[in-house]
Amino acid sequence: PDAQGSVWWRETLEDSVAHTVGVSKDLRDGVRLSIEIIGNEVVRRREELGLEPLPADKAQPLAIQSLRFLYRILFLLYAEASPELGVLTVGDPTYQRGYSLDRLRELTQVKIDDPRSQKGTHLYESLAVLFKLVDQGTEDDIGDEDDLAETELLEFHSLRADLFKPSATELIAEVKLANVAMQKVLANLLLSKATKKEQ
């Protein structure tokens, strides 16, 4: 104890608990907002692509698929923070440069002025490749060689989890998500409130 009788570890624990509660609330709010962003973006993209509007009975499945999409990102955040799990090749320069969430965090903070780039799907496609690698691994042939040119340098073991099944987010995959919407979603999950205010 110090001269006032305060114990350092107790104060640190209390501060940590208070911080955790704040982070949990921010994350909960971020997930809620992101579900709305994804749902609205799917509706907008369907119209833009000339697809039939989603029937009313698809509203709840779309909300669930939006939540799954967000859970995938949160799972990858956990996997990157826990390299001992062996899910991601964290620390490999190729992974860091081409696939990591740190790379996407940086891109989230880049202002996109060009309308064509705003409508583009680079951020979504980057995540889609990572989701596929986590689901199927590099042992299998998982698709387009151009998209996955560098994966021969990386080793992913197939997770084969229901969360990463293509059908788990098929309504989103059908139209993909534009860069502008993805920036908002990723900002809600990857950036602190202070960082978002600086944008």
Side-chain angles (χ1 to χ4, degrees):
D2 62 18
Q4 287 76 36
S6 298
V7 179
W8 172 84
W9 65 264
R10 186 176 297 142
E11 289 180 359
T12 303
L13 181 61
E14 288 169 1
D15 289 345
S16 177
V17 169
H19 176 71
T20 301
V21 170
V23 168
S24 297
K25 184 183 182 311
D26 288 349
L27 184 57
R28 188 172 56 246
D29 292 344
V31 167
R32 183 183 52 75
L33 286 170
S34 295
I35 289 171
E36 291 176 19
I37 292 166
I38 293 170
N40 289 334
E41 178 68 0
V42 167
V43 170
R44 189 192 70 75
R45 294 273 296 173
R46 289 186 72 83
E47 184 178 354
E48 187 179 89
L49 297 169
L51 299 173
E52 289 288 321
L54 284 177
D57 64 350
K58 291 290 185 183
Q60 189 60 27
L62 176 57
I64 291 169
Q65 290 187 27
S66 299
L67 186 58
R68 285 185 190 135
F69 186 83
L70 299 174
Y71 279 165
R72 287 178 179 182
I73 297 170
L74 294 173
F75 174 82
L76 294 178
L77 276 171
Y78 179 74
E80 281 194 357
S82 309
E84 67 276 5
L85 296 175
V87 174
L88 302 172
T89 53
V90 179
D92 185 298
T94 301
Y95 175 80
Q96 293 301 125
R97 188 175 59 250
Y99 300 93
S100 73
L101 294 179
D102 277 341
R103 173 184 167 270
L104 292 180
R105 184 181 287 112
E106 289 170 10
L107 292 176
T108 296
Q109 298 176 75
V110 174
K111 187 171 172 58
I112 304 175
D113 294 319
D114 176 46
R116 188 172 174 204
S117 296
Q118 289 175 349
K119 291 182 179 181
T121 58
H122 174 75
L123 294 172
Y124 174 85
E125 299 281 0
S126 296
L127 273 174
V129 169
L130 186 54
F131 293 160
K132 199 168 191 179
L133 286 167
V134 169
D135 180 45
Q136 298 181 14
T138 49
E139 305 92 31
D140 300 336
D141 175 18
I142 62 172
D144 189 338
E145 290 180 14
D146 291 336
D147 288 344
L148 307 173
E150 288 189 312
T151 60
E152 62 192 37
L153 305 173
L154 298 173
E155 185 177 348
F156 284 83
H157 300 289
S158 171
L159 196 62
R160 299 282 185 203
D162 288 349
L163 180 62
F164 288 93
K165 279 184 180 174
S167 59
T169 56
E170 61 190 356
L171 293 172
I172 300 167
E174 186 179 7
V175 295
K176 304 177 182 177
L177 303 174
N179 289 328
V180 170
M182 279 300 306
Q183 278 193 321
K184 292 175 186 172
V185 168
L186 291 171
N188 286 333
L189 300 182
L190 305 180
L191 301 182
S192 67
K193 274 189 173 178
T195 309
K196 282 188 268 190
K197 283 177 187 171
E198 290 166 9
Q199 287 184 315

PDB file of all heavy atoms in Angstrom, residues 61-75:
ATOM      1  N   PRO A  61     -33.279 -13.415 -41.976  1.00  0.00           N
ATOM      2  CA  PRO A  61     -32.062 -14.127 -42.404  1.00  0.00           C
ATOM      3  C   PRO A  61     -30.915 -13.187 -42.773  1.00  0.00           C
ATOM      4  O   PRO A  61     -29.759 -13.473 -42.482  1.00  0.00           O
ATOM      5  CB  PRO A  61     -32.534 -14.929 -43.617  1.00  0.00           C
ATOM      6  CG  PRO A  61     -33.986 -15.157 -43.387  1.00  0.00           C
ATOM      7  CD  PRO A  61     -34.467 -13.916 -42.690  1.00  0.00           C
ATOM      8  N   LEU A  62     -31.238 -12.040 -43.396  1.00  0.00           N
ATOM      9  CA  LEU A  62     -30.194 -11.073 -43.743  1.00  0.00           C
ATOM     10  C   LEU A  62     -29.542 -10.502 -42.483  1.00  0.00           C
ATOM     11  O   LEU A  62     -28.316 -10.361 -42.424  1.00  0.00           O
ATOM     12  CB  LEU A  62     -30.768  -9.943 -44.603  1.00  0.00           C
ATOM     13  CG  LEU A  62     -29.796  -8.804 -44.953  1.00  0.00           C
ATOM     14  CD1 LEU A  62     -28.559  -9.334 -45.667  1.00  0.00           C
ATOM     15  CD2 LEU A  62     -30.499  -7.748 -45.799  1.00  0.00           C
ATOM     16  N   ALA A  63     -30.347 -10.197 -41.469  1.00  0.00           N
ATOM     17  CA  ALA A  63     -29.798  -9.689 -40.204  1.00  0.00           C
ATOM     18  C   ALA A  63     -28.879 -10.729 -39.565  1.00  0.00           C
ATOM     19  O   ALA A  63     -27.789 -10.404 -39.065  1.00  0.00           O
ATOM     20  CB  ALA A  63     -30.929  -9.311 -39.255  1.00  0.00           C
ATOM     21  N   ILE A  64     -29.298 -11.994 -39.590  1.00  0.00           N
ATOM     22  CA  ILE A  64     -28.487 -13.075 -39.011  1.00  0.00           C
ATOM     23  C   ILE A  64     -27.190 -13.246 -39.801  1.00  0.00           C
ATOM     24  O   ILE A  64     -26.105 -13.406 -39.221  1.00  0.00           O
ATOM     25  CB  ILE A  64     -29.290 -14.397 -38.970  1.00  0.00           C
ATOM     26  CG1 ILE A  64     -30.422 -14.271 -37.945  1.00  0.00           C
ATOM     27  CG2 ILE A  64     -28.390 -15.582 -38.653  1.00  0.00           C
ATOM     28  CD1 ILE A  64     -31.434 -15.398 -37.992  1.00  0.00           C
ATOM     29  N   GLN A  65     -27.279 -13.194 -41.129  1.00  0.00           N
ATOM     30  CA  GLN A  65     -26.078 -13.334 -41.951  1.00  0.00           C
ATOM     31  C   GLN A  65     -25.130 -12.150 -41.752  1.00  0.00           C
ATOM     32  O   GLN A  65     -23.910 -12.313 -41.764  1.00  0.00           O
ATOM     33  CB  GLN A  65     -26.458 -13.492 -43.424  1.00  0.00           C
ATOM     34  CG  GLN A  65     -27.111 -14.828 -43.709  1.00  0.00           C
ATOM     35  CD  GLN A  65     -27.345 -15.080 -45.181  1.00  0.00           C
ATOM     36  OE1 GLN A  65     -26.644 -14.553 -46.032  1.00  0.00           O
ATOM     37  NE2 GLN A  65     -28.337 -15.902 -45.495  1.00  0.00           N
ATOM     38  N   SER A  66     -25.689 -10.960 -41.553  1.00  0.00           N
ATOM     39  CA  SER A  66     -24.866  -9.780 -41.280  1.00  0.00           C
ATOM     40  C   SER A  66     -24.108  -9.975 -39.967  1.00  0.00           C
ATOM     41  O   SER A  66     -22.912  -9.648 -39.867  1.00  0.00           O
ATOM     42  CB  SER A  66     -25.741  -8.528 -41.192  1.00  0.00           C
ATOM     43  OG  SER A  66     -26.413  -8.294 -42.408  1.00  0.00           O
ATOM     44  N   LEU A  67     -24.782 -10.519 -38.965  1.00  0.00           N
ATOM     45  CA  LEU A  67     -24.145 -10.789 -37.677  1.00  0.00           C
ATOM     46  C   LEU A  67     -23.041 -11.830 -37.832  1.00  0.00           C
ATOM     47  O   LEU A  67     -21.955 -11.688 -37.266  1.00  0.00           O
ATOM     48  CB  LEU A  67     -25.189 -11.249 -36.659  1.00  0.00           C
ATOM     49  CG  LEU A  67     -24.710 -11.435 -35.226  1.00  0.00           C
ATOM     50  CD1 LEU A  67     -24.118 -10.143 -34.659  1.00  0.00           C
ATOM     51  CD2 LEU A  67     -25.858 -11.913 -34.341  1.00  0.00           C
ATOM     52  N   ARG A  68     -23.301 -12.857 -38.622  1.00  0.00           N
ATOM     53  CA  ARG A  68     -22.267 -13.878 -38.862  1.00  0.00           C
ATOM     54  C   ARG A  68     -21.042 -13.269 -39.535  1.00  0.00           C
ATOM     55  O   ARG A  68     -19.904 -13.619 -39.209  1.00  0.00           O
ATOM     56  CB  ARG A  68     -22.825 -15.000 -39.744  1.00  0.00           C
ATOM     57  CG  ARG A  68     -23.762 -15.934 -39.035  1.00  0.00           C
ATOM     58  CD  ARG A  68     -24.152 -17.084 -39.957  1.00  0.00           C
ATOM     59  NE  ARG A  68     -25.229 -17.856 -39.383  1.00  0.00           N
ATOM     60  CZ  ARG A  68     -26.290 -18.258 -40.045  1.00  0.00           C
ATOM     61  NH1 ARG A  68     -26.426 -17.966 -41.321  1.00  0.00           N
ATOM     62  NH2 ARG A  68     -27.228 -18.967 -39.452  1.00  0.00           N
ATOM     63  N   PHE A  69     -21.284 -12.392 -40.498  1.00  0.00           N
ATOM     64  CA  PHE A  69     -20.192 -11.718 -41.190  1.00  0.00           C
ATOM     65  C   PHE A  69     -19.321 -10.961 -40.180  1.00  0.00           C
ATOM     66  O   PHE A  69     -18.087 -11.018 -40.225  1.00  0.00           O
ATOM     67  CB  PHE A  69     -20.768 -10.761 -42.235  1.00  0.00           C
ATOM     68  CG  PHE A  69     -19.736 -10.112 -43.114  1.00  0.00           C
ATOM     69  CD1 PHE A  69     -19.239 -10.768 -44.231  1.00  0.00           C
ATOM     70  CD2 PHE A  69     -19.260  -8.839 -42.830  1.00  0.00           C
ATOM     71  CE1 PHE A  69     -18.284 -10.165 -45.048  1.00  0.00           C
ATOM     72  CE2 PHE A  69     -18.306  -8.230 -43.636  1.00  0.00           C
ATOM     73  CZ  PHE A  69     -17.819  -8.901 -44.752  1.00  0.00           C
ATOM     74  N   LEU A  70     -19.959 -10.277 -39.255  1.00  0.00           N
ATOM     75  CA  LEU A  70     -19.231  -9.540 -38.219  1.00  0.00           C
ATOM     76  C   LEU A  70     -18.516 -10.488 -37.264  1.00  0.00           C
ATOM     77  O   LEU A  70     -17.385 -10.225 -36.844  1.00  0.00           O
ATOM     78  CB  LEU A  70     -20.190  -8.637 -37.442  1.00  0.00           C
ATOM     79  CG  LEU A  70     -20.910  -7.568 -38.283  1.00  0.00           C
ATOM     80  CD1 LEU A  70     -21.942  -6.840 -37.452  1.00  0.00           C
ATOM     81  CD2 LEU A  70     -19.919  -6.602 -38.900  1.00  0.00           C
ATOM     82  N   TYR A  71     -19.155 -11.597 -36.916  1.00  0.00           N
ATOM     83  CA  TYR A  71     -18.517 -12.591 -36.044  1.00  0.00           C
ATOM     84  C   TYR A  71     -17.246 -13.147 -36.685  1.00  0.00           C
ATOM     85  O   TYR A  71     -16.271 -13.448 -36.000  1.00  0.00           O
ATOM     86  CB  TYR A  71     -19.472 -13.739 -35.730  1.00  0.00           C
ATOM     87  CG  TYR A  71     -20.474 -13.454 -34.636  1.00  0.00           C
ATOM     88  CD1 TYR A  71     -21.580 -14.278 -34.461  1.00  0.00           C
ATOM     89  CD2 TYR A  71     -20.330 -12.377 -33.772  1.00  0.00           C
ATOM     90  CE1 TYR A  71     -22.512 -14.037 -33.457  1.00  0.00           C
ATOM     91  CE2 TYR A  71     -21.252 -12.127 -32.769  1.00  0.00           C
ATOM     92  CZ  TYR A  71     -22.339 -12.954 -32.622  1.00  0.00           C
ATOM     93  OH  TYR A  71     -23.246 -12.712 -31.626  1.00  0.00           O
ATOM     94  N   ARG A  72     -17.272 -13.308 -38.008  1.00  0.00           N
ATOM     95  CA  ARG A  72     -16.069 -13.779 -38.701  1.00  0.00           C
ATOM     96  C   ARG A  72     -14.908 -12.813 -38.460  1.00  0.00           C
ATOM     97  O   ARG A  72     -13.787 -13.228 -38.159  1.00  0.00           O
ATOM     98  CB  ARG A  72     -16.329 -13.884 -40.212  1.00  0.00           C
ATOM     99  CG  ARG A  72     -17.206 -15.038 -40.625  1.00  0.00           C
ATOM    100  CD  ARG A  72     -17.436 -14.997 -42.131  1.00  0.00           C
ATOM    101  NE  ARG A  72     -18.256 -16.121 -42.574  1.00  0.00           N
ATOM    102  CZ  ARG A  72     -18.578 -16.340 -43.835  1.00  0.00           C
ATOM    103  NH1 ARG A  72     -18.151 -15.517 -44.781  1.00  0.00           N
ATOM    104  NH2 ARG A  72     -19.334 -17.372 -44.165  1.00  0.00           N
ATOM    105  N   ILE A  73     -15.190 -11.523 -38.614  1.00  0.00           N
ATOM    106  CA  ILE A  73     -14.140 -10.516 -38.422  1.00  0.00           C
ATOM    107  C   ILE A  73     -13.642 -10.536 -36.981  1.00  0.00           C
ATOM    108  O   ILE A  73     -12.433 -10.513 -36.725  1.00  0.00           O
ATOM    109  CB  ILE A  73     -14.662  -9.113 -38.802  1.00  0.00           C
ATOM    110  CG1 ILE A  73     -15.027  -9.068 -40.288  1.00  0.00           C
ATOM    111  CG2 ILE A  73     -13.605  -8.050 -38.482  1.00  0.00           C
ATOM    112  CD1 ILE A  73     -15.776  -7.816 -40.712  1.00  0.00           C
ATOM    113  N   LEU A  74     -14.570 -10.616 -36.028  1.00  0.00           N
ATOM    114  CA  LEU A  74     -14.178 -10.656 -34.612  1.00  0.00           C
ATOM    115  C   LEU A  74     -13.366 -11.911 -34.305  1.00  0.00           C
ATOM    116  O   LEU A  74     -12.396 -11.866 -33.537  1.00  0.00           O
ATOM    117  CB  LEU A  74     -15.415 -10.577 -33.713  1.00  0.00           C
ATOM    118  CG  LEU A  74     -16.177  -9.251 -33.774  1.00  0.00           C
ATOM    119  CD1 LEU A  74     -17.474  -9.340 -32.967  1.00  0.00           C
ATOM    120  CD2 LEU A  74     -15.317  -8.104 -33.274  1.00  0.00           C
ATOM    121  N   PHE A  75     -13.751 -13.033 -34.911  1.00  0.00           N
ATOM    122  CA  PHE A  75     -12.984 -14.270 -34.716  1.00  0.00           C
ATOM    123  C   PHE A  75     -11.557 -14.093 -35.241  1.00  0.00           C
ATOM    124  O   PHE A  75     -10.593 -14.505 -34.591  1.00  0.00           O
ATOM    125  CB  PHE A  75     -13.663 -15.445 -35.428  1.00  0.00           C
ATOM    126  CG  PHE A  75     -12.846 -16.706 -35.380  1.00  0.00           C
ATOM    127  CD1 PHE A  75     -12.874 -17.511 -34.258  1.00  0.00           C
ATOM    128  CD2 PHE A  75     -12.022 -17.066 -36.436  1.00  0.00           C
ATOM    129  CE1 PHE A  75     -12.104 -18.672 -34.184  1.00  0.00           C
ATOM    130  CE2 PHE A  75     -11.247 -18.211 -36.379  1.00  0.00           C
ATOM    131  CZ  PHE A  75     -11.286 -19.019 -35.257  1.00  0.00           C
TER     132      PHE A  75
END
